[in-house]
């Protein structure tokens, strides 16, 4: 692959500079031989902030549609296609993932090759910046190795006619990532950055990504230690305003933005600012005149426990005789994630002709009339929806939470469980803190055993419901070797629960009456546990061969 020139993009953390006097006279960052650049702290800061544009923004939410939590109404959606298994090495979206990550890696390599030239900048400042750049680079390698396995590992800028060369092994890449993050953590300050540097990375980000990478690779002892290191920093705490009925939901609205000041839970985020960096998640979730781009699946809905701590197929509290009763007596996070009857929404006219209040949701809508949001599963999300922004196009300023303390607590519990060292005290330190926040019954090891529930299954369930819509589900399915879940039909609610039966009369359903939203998905092992190396890349660089198994 030929070199991709480094450029300064409008990042999430900087105000556009195109109107500043003299900006157009600046030397481009690809002209790294220019001694006038890489000399001042201002220049280093400008280059560093540009690297943050490589941290996924609303794509973090969209990636959940690769798994079995959510499905896009558009059949051409890349993540829907990825999750279906029905694609080939020449799919442009596969190549886009490869190119975008390596482009960002090269930007980081350029920064790291040049930042020490700023001899007048204090070494502590440069070390902090280098730690941030190394963490961003490791984050992009994490994405790549999760998708493609063996990869070319490059830590220096390539020349214009230089190719990446052959692939390093997956183990070599992951060893590099873990070592890189440990060293980056040592370079950075412990406290989260504030003021003009709000959103820039600190020690907890590097340690948190280390915990995630180790978990993905089943290095349980490494994941445990890294997670505990984050917990022991003493600078993060679960978001809470003392309102269990809404706290979890509120974290993902404007009130939960880092700039709002109350959120001490989020460790890494893509910060979005007015007219600088914005997205369209709220509108696309409850778009008032079209079909939602994000439709919760029956699989996700069924995952939430009842308030007695039992799954729906075991709890006497669960009833499915009405649409509203699906949400009754369930883990409070369900209503704070999936839109329940009686909740406020921005989708305008719903599926109940008797509902005269367009601001309150009462029933799902299945027929498009341009007057209200349509669902293809019978369900809508409310998590990550800022209702005031639904009516506007691409004006959403929700922070996208890339890494938060909740994930660290879940990682610690899972790593301990897999090593056979998990105790009730560990659960009280981790998972039960998440349950306490929302007022959910605590997880008790002895009660699980008495109820015939599997501890591993319940810890994995906890991860799924806590991190729904946060881009983790596909990665979890892959690392747990549960690929068969991705081959299953995507289903929705029971047709019999529709407010207007004629709206669903032509929809396919299974033998139990549940809407079949998508069929024909496939997952062939070991093929689909990795993406194919993009055909375009192999054509440019034959040293990338052989192709991943099965492709």
């Amino acid at each position: 692959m030929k070199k991709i020139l480094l450029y300064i993009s409008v990042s999430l953390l900087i105000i556009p500079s195109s109107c500043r006097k003299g900006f157009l006279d600046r030397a481009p960052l690809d002209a790294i031989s220019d001694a006038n650049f890489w000399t001042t702290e201002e220049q280093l800061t400008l280059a560093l902030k540009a690297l943050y544009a490589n941290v996924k923004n609303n794509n973090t939410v969209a990636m959940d549609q690769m798994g079995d939590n959510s499905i896009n109404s558009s059949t051409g959606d890349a993540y829907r296609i990825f999750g279906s298994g029905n694609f080939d090495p020449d799919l442009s979206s596969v190549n886009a993932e490869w190119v975008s990550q390596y482009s960002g890696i090269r930007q980081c390599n350029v920064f790291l090759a040049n930042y020490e030239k700023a001899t007048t900048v204090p070494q502590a400042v440069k070390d902090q910046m280098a730690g941030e750049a190394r963490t961003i680079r490791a984050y992009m390698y994490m994405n790549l190795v999760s998708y493609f396995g063996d990869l070319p590992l490059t830590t220096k800028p390539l020349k214009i006619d230089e190719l990446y060369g052959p692939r390093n092994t997956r183990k070599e890449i992951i060893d590099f990532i873990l070592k890189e993050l440990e060293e980056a953590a040592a370079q950075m300050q412990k406290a989260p950055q504030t003021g003009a540097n709000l959103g820039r990375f600190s020690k907890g980000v590097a340690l948190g990504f280390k915990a995630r990478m180790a978990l993905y690779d089943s290095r349980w002892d490494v994941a445990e230690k890294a997670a505990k290191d984050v917990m022991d920093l003493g600078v993060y705490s679960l978001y809470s305003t003392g309102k269990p009925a809404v706290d979890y939901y509120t974290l993902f609205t404007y009130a939960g933005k880092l700039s709002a000041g109350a959120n001490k839970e989020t460790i890494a985020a893509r910060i979005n600012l007015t007219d600088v960096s914005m997205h369209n998640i709220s509108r696309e979730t409850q778009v008032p005149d079209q079909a939602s781009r994000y439709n919760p699946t029956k699989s996700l809905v069924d995952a939430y426990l009842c308030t007695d701590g039992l799954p729906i197929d075991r709890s006497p509290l669960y009833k499915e005789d009405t649409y509203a009763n699906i949400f009754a007596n369930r883990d409070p996070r369900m209503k704070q994630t999936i839109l329940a009857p009686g909740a406020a929404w921005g989708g305008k006219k719903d599926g109940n002709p008797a509902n005269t209040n367009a601001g309150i949701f009462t029933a799902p809508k299945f027929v498009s009339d341009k007057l209200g949001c349509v669902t293809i599963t019978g369900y809508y999300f409310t998590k990550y929806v800022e209702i005031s922004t639904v009516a506007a196009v691409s004006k959403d300023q929700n922070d996208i939470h890339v890494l938060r303390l909740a994930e660290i607590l879940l990682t610690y519990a899972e790593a301990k469980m897999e090593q056979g060292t998990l105790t009730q005290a560990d659960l009280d330190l981790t998972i039960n803190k998440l349950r306490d926040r929302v007022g959910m019954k605590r997880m008790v090891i002895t009660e699980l055993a008495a109820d015939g529930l599997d501890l591993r299954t319940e810890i994995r369930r906890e991860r799924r419901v806590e991190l729904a819509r946060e881009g983790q589900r596909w990665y979890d399915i892959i690392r747990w070797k549960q690929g068969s879940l991705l081959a299953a039909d995507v289903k929705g609610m029971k047709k019999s629960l529709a407010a207007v039966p004629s709206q669903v009369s032509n929809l396919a359903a299974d033998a139990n009456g549940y809407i079949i939203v998508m069929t024909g998905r496939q997952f062939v092992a070991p093929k689909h546990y990795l993406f194919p190396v993009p055909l375009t890349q192999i054509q440019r660089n034959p040293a990338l061969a052989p192709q991943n198994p099965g492709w």
Side-chain angles (χ1 to χ4, degrees), residues 9-21:
S9 58
V10 178
S11 102
L12 68 163
L13 296 172
I14 57 175
I15 303 300
S17 303
S18 57
C19 59
R20 290 169 52 189
K21 183 178 180 180

Side-chain angles (χ1 to χ4, degrees), residues 291-322:
S292 174
R293 308 296 193 271
Y294 297 90
N295 299 264
T297 63
K298 177 182 184 294
S299 176
L300 176 60
V301 170
D302 289 352
Y304 291 88
L305 297 171
C306 291
T307 52
D308 57 6
L310 295 175
I312 60 172
D313 59 352
R314 296 196 182 196
S315 174
L317 300 177
Y318 182 69
K319 295 181 179 179
E320 200 179 8
D321 54 338
T322 67

Side-chain angles (χ1 to χ4, degrees), residues 189-238:
Q189 66 181 54
K190 180 174 76 171
Q193 301 201 55
T194 59
N197 294 333
L198 182 70
R200 280 176 50 184
F201 290 172
S202 59
K203 185 183 298 289
V205 181
L207 293 174
F209 282 155
K210 181 182 177 184
R212 181 187 288 181
M213 184 75 267
L215 191 77
Y216 282 2
D217 197 43
S218 301
R219 303 190 192 191
W220 309 120
D221 57 335
V222 178
E224 176 192 341
K225 183 182 184 304
K228 192 63 163 60
D229 286 345
V230 176
M231 295 158 64
D232 289 346
L233 287 175
V235 296
Y236 302 107
S237 58
L238 294 180

Side-chain angles (χ1 to χ4, degrees), residues 91-111:
L91 181 68
S92 62
S93 299
V94 176
N95 189 55
E97 289 291 340
W98 179 285
V99 170
S100 65
Q101 299 303 295
Y102 270 116
S103 174
I105 286 168
R106 186 184 186 282
Q107 293 177 38
C108 292
N109 289 345
V110 169
F111 180 91

Side-chain angles (χ1 to χ4, degrees), residues 123-389:
Q123 191 61 46
V125 173
K126 291 191 290 186
D127 287 346
Q128 169 68 37
M129 290 184 172
E132 294 175 51
R134 294 173 77 179
T135 301
I136 294 170
R137 182 173 65 183
Y139 162 83
M140 287 182 283
Y141 270 120
M142 284 171 60
N143 293 331
L144 283 169
V145 78
S146 296
Y147 287 153
F148 301 105
D150 296 352
L151 296 165
L153 175 61
T154 176
T155 59
K156 297 180 180 179
L158 299 180
K159 297 178 181 178
I160 192 67
D161 58 349
E162 192 174 1
L163 297 175
Y164 285 129
R167 295 196 276 172
N168 295 78
T169 66
R170 179 179 183 275
K171 182 182 183 301
E172 289 173 334
I173 299 294
I174 295 176
D175 286 346
F176 165 79
I177 292 169
L178 296 176
K179 183 174 183 291
E180 186 78 351
L181 290 170
E182 183 68 26
E183 293 178 357
Q187 292 181 288
M188 292 190 286
Q189 66 181 54
K190 180 174 76 171
Q193 301 201 55
T194 59
N197 294 333
L198 182 70
R200 280 176 50 184
F201 290 172
S202 59
K203 185 183 298 289
V205 181
L207 293 174
F209 282 155
K210 181 182 177 184
R212 181 187 288 181
M213 184 75 267
L215 191 77
Y216 282 2
D217 197 43
S218 301
R219 303 190 192 191
W220 309 120
D221 57 335
V222 178
E224 176 192 341
K225 183 182 184 304
K228 192 63 163 60
D229 286 345
V230 176
M231 295 158 64
D232 289 346
L233 287 175
V235 296
Y236 302 107
S237 58
L238 294 180
Y239 178 84
S240 176
T241 62
K243 300 177 180 178
V246 295
D247 271 347
Y248 178 80
Y249 164 80
T250 303
L251 174 61
F252 302 93
T253 65
Y254 289 1
K257 287 171 66 70
L258 287 177
S259 60
N263 179 6
K264 305 301 180 185
E265 176 174 348
T266 295
I267 301 171
R270 271 295 301 258
I271 294 178
N272 291 288
L273 304 171
T274 304
D275 297 329
V276 176
S277 175
M278 297 182 290
H279 55 83
N280 206 31
I281 291 293
S282 293
R283 180 173 178 82
E284 290 181 340
T285 302
Q286 296 181 7
V287 57
D289 58 350
Q290 299 174 35
S292 174
R293 308 296 193 271
Y294 297 90
N295 299 264
T297 63
K298 177 182 184 294
S299 176
L300 176 60
V301 170
D302 289 352
Y304 291 88
L305 297 171
C306 291
T307 52
D308 57 6
L310 295 175
I312 60 172
D313 59 352
R314 296 196 182 196
S315 174
L317 300 177
Y318 182 69
K319 295 181 179 179
E320 200 179 8
D321 54 338
T322 67
Y323 186 79
N325 276 343
I326 295 174
F327 296 84
N329 303 312
R330 304 291 293 277
D331 182 331
R333 283 171 293 189
M334 180 177 174
K335 285 187 177 180
Q336 297 184 58
T337 302
I338 300 170
L339 191 70
W345 82 319
K348 293 189 176 180
K349 186 178 180 180
D350 67 11
N352 177 10
N355 180 16
T356 59
N357 186 346
I360 299 296
F361 171 72
T362 63
K365 184 181 183 69
F366 293 94
V367 175
S368 178
D369 56 9
K370 302 296 184 180
L371 299 177
C373 187
V374 172
T375 172
I376 60 174
T377 63
Y379 302 110
Y380 305 87
F381 281 110
T382 189
K383 180 177 176 178
Y384 260 125
V385 173
E386 180 69 34
I387 296 175
S388 64
T389 312

